[in-house]
Amino acid sequence: MKKKIALGILILLVLIQFIPVDTTNPTVDTQKDFITVTKAQQEVAQILKTSCYDCHANETAYPWYFKIAPVSWWLKNHINEGRRELNFSIWGDYTAKRKDKKMKECIEMVQEGEMPMWSYTLVHKDAVINEAQQKLLVDWFTTLRTGDAN
Ligand code: HEC
């Protein structure tokens, strides 16, 4: 019985590898990108690209383990959800109110250490934000706040 269950799981694991996961990025219009639109300074841009853009922009770098289901499903879900919440690539399309709301949320997420996601920084050590970087981000996000979302 145990052998059959193990075999069943193994077959299932092999079969799910054939379910395609989309790893193409939507085209990026840099004119709409957050960094371009807000004229973010180099350091801020660098932190965002390293710590946020894999999930919150259309510039995801898909690692090798993205070829393995169900890991790929789990990761793809983060990307889909992340982009839905906040997509820096289409910043130019956001309304003033949405922009302000997102900046408010970003400040909270970064201050509370909730973003980048802990599971992400486990693998991407360079995405960990130190105190100085945290301050840079929060200061920049605060500068961009307009109060429209209040
Ligand atoms: C591994 C993917 C990933 C990375 C990297 C990541 N995020 Fe997220 N982010 C998500 C997902 C998934 C959600 C939606 C679910 C949630 O709120 O936990 C989210 C939600 C958010 C939200 C909305 C939270 C709310 O109040 O509803 C903000 C703002 C945000 N992220 C900012 C950032 C910033 C800023 C960075 C970089 C410093 C970052 N994220 C890095 C995946 C990611």
Side-chain angles (χ1 to χ4, degrees):
M1 189 60 189
K2 262 191 190 154
K3 259 190 188 164
K4 271 194 180 159
I5 292 172
L7 188 67
I9 292 174
L10 190 69
I11 291 172
L12 199 69
L13 275 175
V14 171
L15 285 178
I16 62 173
Q17 304 311 318
F18 292 95
I19 301 171
V21 175
D22 185 8
T23 54
T24 54
N25 282 325
T27 37
V28 176
D29 176 356
T30 49
Q31 290 312 307
K32 290 182 180 175
D33 180 72
F34 177 85
I35 293 166
T36 317
V37 174
T38 67
K39 300 189 176 68
Q41 64 173 104
Q42 182 62 33
E43 285 101 325
V44 171
Q46 195 54 51
I47 305 167
L48 290 175
K49 292 249 179 188
T50 311
S51 304
C52 316
Y53 267 47
D54 264 348
C55 303
H56 290 292
N58 297 333
E59 296 185 33
T60 311
Y62 292 94
W64 63 266
Y65 42 83
F66 226 96
K67 301 215 186 314
I68 307 163
V71 178
S72 50
W73 302 350
W74 185 64
L75 298 176
K76 186 70 192 180
N77 192 42
H78 286 163
I79 296 165
N80 288 342
E81 253 193 80
R83 283 179 184 163
R84 205 179 316 132
E85 273 292 337
L86 165 68
N87 190 338
F88 285 121
S89 293
I90 53 166
W91 187 255
D93 289 340
Y94 284 7
T95 61
K97 191 173 174 188
R98 186 167 168 85
K99 282 180 178 140
D100 192 48
K101 183 161 178 270
K102 290 301 150 188
M103 285 299 90
K104 187 182 176 189
E105 289 175 4
C106 275
I107 293 167
E108 282 167 13
M109 291 295 118
V110 172
Q111 268 175 345
E112 289 163 15
E114 286 203 36
M115 288 286 153
M117 285 174 70
W118 69 270
S119 56
Y120 180 79
T121 49
L122 216 57
V123 187
H124 300 259
K125 298 278 181 225
D126 57 338
V128 176
I129 295 179
N130 65 31
E131 238 171 85
Q133 291 173 316
Q134 184 179 335
K135 189 174 181 319
L136 264 177
L137 279 188
V138 170
D139 283 353
W140 184 239
F141 294 152
T142 306
T143 314
L144 297 172
R145 286 219 53 194
T146 53
D148 281 85
N150 285 335

Short mmCIF file of all heavy atoms in Angstrom, two decimals, residues 95-101 103 141-150:
data_model
loop_
_atom_site.label_atom_id
_atom_site.label_comp_id
_atom_site.label_asym_id
_atom_site.label_seq_id
_atom_site.Cartn_x
_atom_site.Cartn_y
_atom_site.Cartn_z
N THR A 95 -3.74 56.30 -11.22
CA THR A 95 -4.31 57.60 -10.89
C THR A 95 -3.54 58.18 -9.71
O THR A 95 -2.84 57.45 -9.00
CB THR A 95 -5.78 57.46 -10.46
OG1 THR A 95 -5.82 56.62 -9.30
CG2 THR A 95 -6.64 56.86 -11.57
N ALA A 96 -3.67 59.48 -9.51
CA ALA A 96 -2.98 60.15 -8.40
C ALA A 96 -3.34 59.49 -7.07
O ALA A 96 -2.50 59.29 -6.20
CB ALA A 96 -3.33 61.63 -8.39
N LYS A 97 -4.60 59.12 -6.95
CA LYS A 97 -5.08 58.53 -5.71
C LYS A 97 -4.45 57.16 -5.47
O LYS A 97 -4.01 56.84 -4.36
CB LYS A 97 -6.61 58.40 -5.77
CG LYS A 97 -7.23 58.05 -4.45
CD LYS A 97 -8.73 58.09 -4.49
CE LYS A 97 -9.28 57.58 -3.17
NZ LYS A 97 -10.72 57.42 -3.19
N ARG A 98 -4.40 56.37 -6.53
CA ARG A 98 -3.82 55.03 -6.41
C ARG A 98 -2.32 55.13 -6.10
O ARG A 98 -1.79 54.40 -5.27
CB ARG A 98 -4.05 54.24 -7.70
CG ARG A 98 -3.60 52.78 -7.60
CD ARG A 98 -4.16 51.98 -8.78
NE ARG A 98 -3.52 50.68 -8.90
CZ ARG A 98 -3.92 49.60 -8.23
NH1 ARG A 98 -4.94 49.66 -7.42
NH2 ARG A 98 -3.28 48.45 -8.37
N LYS A 99 -1.66 56.07 -6.76
CA LYS A 99 -0.23 56.26 -6.52
C LYS A 99 0.02 56.55 -5.04
O LYS A 99 0.89 55.97 -4.40
CB LYS A 99 0.32 57.42 -7.36
CG LYS A 99 0.57 57.08 -8.80
CD LYS A 99 1.10 58.29 -9.55
CE LYS A 99 1.41 57.95 -10.99
NZ LYS A 99 1.04 59.00 -11.92
N ASP A 100 -0.77 57.49 -4.53
CA ASP A 100 -0.58 57.90 -3.14
C ASP A 100 -0.85 56.73 -2.18
O ASP A 100 -0.12 56.53 -1.21
CB ASP A 100 -1.50 59.08 -2.82
CG ASP A 100 -1.14 59.72 -1.49
OD1 ASP A 100 0.07 59.97 -1.29
OD2 ASP A 100 -2.03 59.95 -0.67
N LYS A 101 -1.89 55.96 -2.50
CA LYS A 101 -2.24 54.81 -1.66
C LYS A 101 -1.10 53.79 -1.68
O LYS A 101 -0.72 53.24 -0.64
CB LYS A 101 -3.53 54.18 -2.20
CG LYS A 101 -4.03 53.02 -1.39
CD LYS A 101 -5.51 52.75 -1.70
CE LYS A 101 -6.00 51.56 -0.92
NZ LYS A 101 -5.83 50.29 -1.65
N MET A 103 2.07 54.36 -2.29
CA MET A 103 3.23 54.88 -1.56
C MET A 103 3.04 54.70 -0.06
O MET A 103 3.95 54.34 0.67
CB MET A 103 3.45 56.36 -1.91
CG MET A 103 4.06 56.61 -3.27
SD MET A 103 5.71 55.88 -3.49
CE MET A 103 5.38 54.26 -4.12
N PHE A 141 9.65 57.40 -0.81
CA PHE A 141 8.20 57.17 -0.89
C PHE A 141 7.45 58.33 -0.21
O PHE A 141 6.40 58.76 -0.69
CB PHE A 141 7.82 55.85 -0.22
CG PHE A 141 8.36 54.61 -0.90
CD1 PHE A 141 8.61 53.45 -0.18
CD2 PHE A 141 8.60 54.60 -2.27
CE1 PHE A 141 9.09 52.31 -0.81
CE2 PHE A 141 9.09 53.45 -2.91
CZ PHE A 141 9.33 52.31 -2.17
N THR A 142 8.00 58.81 0.89
CA THR A 142 7.34 59.88 1.64
C THR A 142 7.33 61.17 0.80
O THR A 142 6.33 61.88 0.75
CB THR A 142 8.06 60.13 2.98
OG1 THR A 142 8.13 58.89 3.68
CG2 THR A 142 7.29 61.13 3.85
N THR A 143 8.44 61.44 0.13
CA THR A 143 8.53 62.62 -0.74
C THR A 143 7.44 62.61 -1.80
O THR A 143 6.91 63.65 -2.18
CB THR A 143 9.90 62.65 -1.48
OG1 THR A 143 10.90 62.36 -0.54
CG2 THR A 143 10.16 63.98 -2.15
N LEU A 144 7.12 61.39 -2.28
CA LEU A 144 6.16 61.27 -3.38
C LEU A 144 4.71 61.31 -2.92
O LEU A 144 3.80 61.41 -3.74
CB LEU A 144 6.41 59.95 -4.14
CG LEU A 144 7.77 59.84 -4.82
CD1 LEU A 144 7.97 58.44 -5.36
CD2 LEU A 144 7.91 60.86 -5.94
N ARG A 145 4.50 61.27 -1.62
CA ARG A 145 3.11 61.26 -1.14
C ARG A 145 2.45 62.61 -1.36
O ARG A 145 3.06 63.66 -1.18
CB ARG A 145 3.06 60.89 0.35
CG ARG A 145 3.32 59.40 0.55
CD ARG A 145 2.45 58.80 1.61
NE ARG A 145 1.03 59.06 1.38
CZ ARG A 145 0.09 58.86 2.30
NH1 ARG A 145 0.43 58.45 3.50
NH2 ARG A 145 -1.17 59.08 2.02
N THR A 146 1.21 62.56 -1.80
CA THR A 146 0.49 63.78 -2.11
C THR A 146 -0.69 64.00 -1.17
O THR A 146 -1.26 65.08 -1.12
CB THR A 146 -0.07 63.72 -3.55
OG1 THR A 146 -0.84 62.51 -3.67
CG2 THR A 146 1.03 63.73 -4.57
N GLY A 147 -1.09 62.93 -0.49
CA GLY A 147 -2.23 63.02 0.40
C GLY A 147 -3.55 62.71 -0.29
O GLY A 147 -4.61 62.71 0.33
N ASP A 148 -3.50 62.38 -1.58
CA ASP A 148 -4.73 62.09 -2.34
C ASP A 148 -5.53 60.91 -1.79
O ASP A 148 -6.74 60.85 -1.94
CB ASP A 148 -4.38 61.77 -3.80
CG ASP A 148 -4.10 63.02 -4.59
OD1 ASP A 148 -2.95 63.50 -4.55
OD2 ASP A 148 -5.02 63.53 -5.23
N ALA A 149 -4.80 59.97 -1.18
CA ALA A 149 -5.49 58.74 -0.71
C ALA A 149 -6.05 58.87 0.70
O ALA A 149 -6.69 57.97 1.20
CB ALA A 149 -4.51 57.57 -0.79
N ASN A 150 -5.79 60.00 1.33
CA ASN A 150 -6.25 60.12 2.73
C ASN A 150 -7.76 60.38 2.83
O ASN A 150 -8.34 60.97 1.97
CB ASN A 150 -5.50 61.24 3.45
CG ASN A 150 -4.10 60.80 3.78
OD1 ASN A 150 -3.83 59.60 3.90
ND2 ASN A 150 -3.20 61.76 3.92
#
